[in-house]
Amino acid sequence: MKKAFLIAAAAAVMIGAGVAAPAAGSAAAASENMKKVADLDVGWVSEIAFDGRWAYAFGDQLSIIDRRTMEVVSTLKCGKKVFGGTEVEIVKRGVVAIDGYGVCGMEWGVFFVDVRDPRQPRIIGKADGTRPHTMTAYPGKPYIYSSPNGCCSDFAGGIERIIDASNPRNPKVVEFRSRGLGCHDVAFVIRKDLKLAGCAAGSETQLWDVSDPLKPVTVARIPTPTQFNHSAGFSDDGKILVVGDEAHPVNSCAGTPTGALWFYDISKPMSPVLKSYYNIDRGATVSTFWATYDTWCTAHMYDFKPNTSLLAAGWFHGGVNVLDLSDLANPKEVGYYISSDFKPWAAYWADGLIWTSDYGKKGGVEVFELGSGGR
């Protein structure tokens, strides 16, 4: 359901009881142009990163996937246990970064993995002094932005830690203090004429000039539309900023502002203009993070198809969909897929396909093809 939005007419947050959701074991529902082309059983997965021939899926374990054959060629575990993290980022060709949660005798931190031989990944370094909630790699340079959370007292303080992984065996950590609670997540658009980062900071979204990767400069501050700015994303031309609203108290997938995607024209980065929002109208009508996590429904992680206005988004219980943002004031859904056993954390474009990470009980990586036509 498309929802246009004017700044002076923001709707109130919907709070209530009751969840409308597909029954357990129900068949998938999809638009005619959405086709699943791969379903890889690699445990629950949060993030996926891509580099050359390989895809790296991380959650229960680090799984390395051959993008040509859709086969898992190796997994990185630690004895019988796994790392239990949520983030994987490309540092440079042959090196990825993952976050770890104190398992296998290791404490919290960011670990660097040599994947030059995809069939034998091995840890080669660790960045101490950082406890990331999310991580984002600076495109084209060996820097990782490690974000605290942007919401909670134990992560507060507005400290962004930037990891210099020029030497992944001995990475260095630089602290950058942003205003507010700190970032929940960071996104980048790096072009010859534009080097911009978006810090989704819970209380607001900040736009940074990152011409110097180690010394961001705030150029704009955008108030939170409803509850919690969870994530940010840019179109490749740097003219569109997408901010996702994820509020732990309560969300909905019923066309309301709560849990929606918000679209800004940032043709002039110092003067962002809010154009519209979008929330799907299938999934849980009301879902609370703690009480109804199995039916949690909200916009989460999303990605533009390269050099287009097509945005793929994961909505947890609401499935995956694709929006056409060629008219930013009137976003249009052009494809979707939803199933009771499919809970996508993220949706990313690679090889012209939509790769999704399944955070539900089934888990795995599901890959979709978007054909021509609409619903």
Side-chain angles (χ1 to χ4, degrees):
M1 176 184 289
K2 181 268 293 180
K3 292 282 186 178
F5 178 81
L6 298 178
I7 295 176
V13 173
M14 183 179 73
I15 300 176
V19 173
S26 63
S31 57
E32 293 181 357
N33 59 346
M34 282 285 279
K35 177 184 177 183
K36 184 187 290 189
V37 297
D39 192 341
L40 306 177
D41 182 10
V42 291
W44 68 258
V45 177
S46 50
E47 286 291 346
I48 311 172
F50 307 89
D51 187 35
R53 179 175 172 176
W54 312 104
Y56 304 90
F58 190 51
D60 272 342
Q61 60 198 15
L62 177 65
S63 299
I64 302 180
I65 302 164
D66 187 329
R67 290 161 61 177
R68 298 176 185 174
T69 64
M70 297 290 182
E71 295 177 338
V72 178
V73 299
S74 67
T75 57
L76 178 64
K77 300 182 180 180
C78 185
K80 294 182 179 180
K81 295 184 178 181
V82 295
F83 287 94
T86 59
E87 294 285 339
V88 56
E89 291 289 329
I90 306 299
V91 179
K92 59 183 180 180
R93 182 59 57 89
V95 179
V96 302
I98 58 176
D99 63 328
Y101 286 168
V103 296
C104 306
M106 294 183 290
E107 298 178 353
W108 286 73
V110 176
F111 300 88
F112 295 88
V113 184
D114 183 339
V115 292
R116 286 176 296 178
D117 181 350
R119 290 167 177 79
Q120 293 185 324
R122 58 192 182 91
I123 295 174
I124 57 172
K126 177 191 174 187
D128 292 313
T130 180
R131 182 182 177 182
H133 184 72
T134 65
M135 300 191 305
T136 311
Y138 187 107
K141 293 184 180 294
Y143 299 112
I144 302 290
Y145 280 45
S146 170
S147 301
N149 191 311
C151 77
C152 310
S153 59
D154 58 334
F155 291 97
I159 299 176
E160 189 80 5
R161 290 177 171 88
I162 304 173
I163 304 169
D164 182 346
S166 301
N167 179 3
R169 298 179 183 275
N170 186 28
K172 307 297 183 182
V173 179
V174 176
E175 289 189 356
F176 163 70
R177 186 176 292 274
S178 64
R179 299 171 65 179
L181 292 175
C183 307
H184 182 277
D185 200 12
V186 172
F188 294 97
V189 55
I190 305 297
R191 299 164 50 94
K192 184 177 181 179
D193 59 340
L194 182 68
K195 294 178 174 57
L196 202 63
C199 161
S203 57
E204 64 181 354
T205 296
Q206 299 176 6
L207 293 182
W208 298 340
D209 180 341
V210 288
S211 299
D212 183 341
L214 298 178
K215 296 180 180 179
V217 176
T218 302
V219 297
R221 303 178 70 187
I222 305 168
T224 299
T226 56
Q227 298 184 78
F228 183 77
N229 285 2
H230 171 275
S231 49
F234 294 99
S235 58
D236 284 354
D237 61 8
K239 295 181 179 180
I240 299 174
L241 169 69
V242 183
V243 175
D245 172 36
E246 181 197 45
H248 283 197
V250 62
N251 263 325
S252 87
C253 285
T256 68
T258 309
L261 293 170
W262 298 79
F263 309 116
Y264 296 84
D265 180 342
I266 57 166
S267 300
K268 299 178 180 179
M270 293 184 181
S271 304
V273 178
L274 179 58
K275 302 295 287 186
S276 64
Y277 76 82
Y278 177 93
N279 195 340
I280 57 175
D281 55 0
R282 54 185 170 271
T285 54
V286 175
S287 61
T288 63
F289 184 78
W290 304 116
T292 59
Y293 183 70
D294 285 344
T295 53
W296 180 239
C297 197
T298 177
H300 201 243
M301 302 304 293
Y302 39 87
D303 184 38
F304 277 96
K305 186 176 183 179
N307 301 310
T308 76
S309 60
L310 294 179
L311 183 81
W315 298 82
F316 284 110
H317 187 73
V320 61
N321 76 343
V322 180
L323 300 174
D324 183 349
L325 300 181
S326 54
D327 179 357
L328 200 56
N330 294 283
K332 178 183 178 182
E333 183 177 75
V334 294
Y336 73 92
Y337 180 96
I338 183 172
S339 172
S340 58
D341 62 355
F342 175 51
K343 194 173 182 180
W345 168 291
Y348 299 127
W349 291 92
D351 310 314
L353 303 173
I354 303 164
W355 292 62
T356 63
S357 53
D358 193 341
Y359 201 66
K361 294 179 181 178
K362 174 180 174 291
V365 171
E366 284 112 323
V367 185
F368 297 87
E369 181 178 34
L370 177 71
S372 60
R375 299 164 70 99

